[in-house]
Amino acid sequence: MKQVSTLFLKIAVILIGIPILALCIFLVPELGDIAAKLLPEFAYIKYLVSSIFYASAIPFYAALYQAFKLLRYIDKNEAFSQASVNALKKIKYCAVTISSLHVLVLPLFYLFAEIDDAPGVIFIGLLVPFASMVIAVFAAVLQKLLQEAIDIKSENDLTV
């Protein structure tokens, strides 16, 4: 039963990566063009926006890889190991990095909201940083709980 559930989660991890790849291919160049049209006095803004979004894809895929490794540890009955704690720590750092990079793009969302007179656009811009910070906090809590469980397990192994 455990193999089936982790297989489902592994497939889900892979399927999460596909839409982000599509967004990187199709949406990021459009966002760069929109930024260039919004701020024509800054010629480099198109490349800056594109590079920030592409740079945030790198830690996203690194976090997906760490999640995949974590599922492999569960398959091997190594869920309560230091390697799992390290994978959660890397997921946490990746989520903080993604959030930080997307906060850098928030002024662009503000400018777009001002030009289009749509204040809801700012909330859309806050969606990715907020979601990645939630993931970072969740990974930090899981990391701490897993570390405490490993410490308790090692104490029990020493007393027996």
Side-chain angles (χ1 to χ4, degrees), residues 20 24 51-67 87 89-102 128 132 135:
I20 301 303
C24 286
S51 63
I52 287 174
F53 279 110
Y54 286 134
S56 68
I58 295 169
F60 175 78
Y61 284 110
L64 283 183
Y65 175 70
Q66 293 301 320
K89 186 190 316 183
K90 289 176 186 175
I91 290 171
K92 175 181 68 172
Y93 290 147
C94 288
V96 169
T97 304
I98 291 168
S99 180
S100 301
L101 287 171
H102 279 268
V128 172
S132 60
I135 291 169

Side-chain angles (χ1 to χ4, degrees), residues 68-88:
F68 203 80
K69 279 177 52 174
L70 198 56
L71 291 171
R72 281 198 326 234
Y73 295 144
I74 292 170
D75 280 343
K76 295 184 209 175
N77 287 328
E78 297 175 7
F80 293 100
S81 65
Q82 194 61 38
S84 297
V85 173
N86 291 338
L88 283 169

